[in-house]
Amino acid sequence: MSVIKDSMRPSTLSTKLDVNLDETGRLNQLVRHFGKEHGVPDDTVFVINLSIDELVTNIVIHAGSRDPKAREIVLRMSINNSEVSIELEDDGSAFNPLDIPTPNLNASLQDRDPGGLGIHLARSLMDGIRYSRVGRRNVLTLTKRIN
């Protein structure tokens, strides 16, 4: 993990994670520490952490099963003015989670298709989310305004 602080540019955090569910605990600690260090309100840190956790879990479960060569997830966070920007990058097969349709939350559990709730949650909680494929890597970019 590296945290870079410089008065001439936004404060940033960058780290690499294995494509492994055990990494979510470490990820949670990193995000909380970053938020605390930069005065991000606890409720905003909670929302960011929950969204990242859901998306990283999705990457691990789906990238790992679709592409056994998937080895790493890169997390980059930066804070500038009143916004936190997050980038999640992985080396799995091309997959745009934003193509997953919004789940029918009114359907009973028996009638509901499995999955899609984590992506729906991140879409609902974050102020911005977009996907791009850069070379052989998936990149999800999220933004959250600091209130």
Side-chain angles (χ1 to χ4, degrees), residues 27-36 39-55 77 84 86 121-122 125-126 142 144-146:
L27 179 63
N28 182 284
Q29 290 176 340
L30 289 170
V31 172
R32 283 185 299 151
H33 177 76
F34 182 83
K36 185 174 185 171
V40 179
D42 290 342
D43 58 337
T44 303
V45 171
F46 176 81
V47 164
I48 291 169
N49 227 343
L50 180 59
S51 298
I52 292 174
D53 186 84
E54 289 290 335
L55 294 168
M77 288 182 68
V84 177
I86 302 108
L121 189 65
L125 294 174
M126 300 303 289
L142 305 100
K144 183 66 180 169
R145 287 185 299 278
I146 301 170

Side-chain angles (χ1 to χ4, degrees), residues 10-98:
S11 296
T12 62
L13 165 120
S14 179
T15 192
K16 291 182 181 180
L17 308 160
D18 294 329
V19 177
N20 184 317
L21 286 177
D22 292 339
E23 292 281 63
T24 57
R26 182 168 75 94
L27 179 63
N28 182 284
Q29 290 176 340
L30 289 170
V31 172
R32 283 185 299 151
H33 177 76
F34 182 83
K36 185 174 185 171
E37 183 176 303
H38 299 293
V40 179
D42 290 342
D43 58 337
T44 303
V45 171
F46 176 81
V47 164
I48 291 169
N49 227 343
L50 180 59
S51 298
I52 292 174
D53 186 84
E54 289 290 335
L55 294 168
V56 166
T57 298
N58 219 21
I59 292 167
V60 170
I61 291 170
H62 297 290
S65 66
R66 283 190 328 269
D67 186 354
K69 295 178 187 173
R71 300 267 188 244
E72 81 176 5
I73 300 167
V74 177
L75 166 72
R76 292 181 199 90
M77 288 182 68
S78 63
I79 186 166
N80 192 0
N81 299 322
S82 59
E83 186 174 82
V84 177
S85 296
I86 302 108
E87 224 177 60
L88 290 171
E89 178 183 311
D90 71 82
D91 59 353
S93 309
F95 176 70
N96 181 351
L98 302 179

